[in-house]
């Protein structure tokens, strides 16, 4: 549940931030958010693999 709550909070914060930033600032923020989202997805895949004992991302290992 923590991961989903983090995603929700990040979305709400982004909506407020977007209203006041320049285009360059918004692009940088989007790049940072993309990296954070990718890290969250990797952590989620790892957790699902550990819970179910399957190799979802086909990297040759579980977890």
């Amino acid at each position: 549940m923590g991961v989903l709550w983090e995603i929700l909070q990040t979305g709400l914060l982004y909506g407020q931030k977007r209203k006041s930033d320049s285009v360059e600032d918004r692009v940088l923020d989007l790049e940072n958010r993309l990296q954070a989202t990718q890290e969250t997805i990797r952590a989620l895949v790892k957790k699902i693999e550990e819970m179910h004992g399957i190799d979802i991302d086909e990297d040759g290992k579980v977890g």
Side-chain angles (χ1 to χ4, degrees):
M1 187 66 180
V3 172
L4 296 177
W5 180 247
E6 180 181 330
I7 292 170
L8 176 64
Q9 286 181 319
T10 303
L12 294 173
L13 289 173
Y14 175 71
Q16 292 299 321
K17 182 173 177 48
R18 200 175 120 207
K19 292 178 183 177
S20 63
D21 290 342
S22 69
V23 172
E24 292 83 10
D25 290 339
R26 287 169 43 191
V27 168
L28 180 60
D29 183 56
L30 284 171
E31 289 172 342
N32 292 336
R33 290 174 38 78
L34 173 60
Q35 182 178 358
T37 300
Q38 289 171 333
E39 291 170 4
T40 301
I41 290 171
R42 283 187 204 103
L44 185 57
V45 167
K46 181 179 178 180
K47 188 66 171 176
I48 292 171
E49 285 185 348
E50 290 171 354
M51 290 173 62
H52 295 283
I54 57 175
D55 182 17
I56 295 172
D57 58 5
E58 299 178 346
D59 64 352
K61 60 183 179 179
V62 173

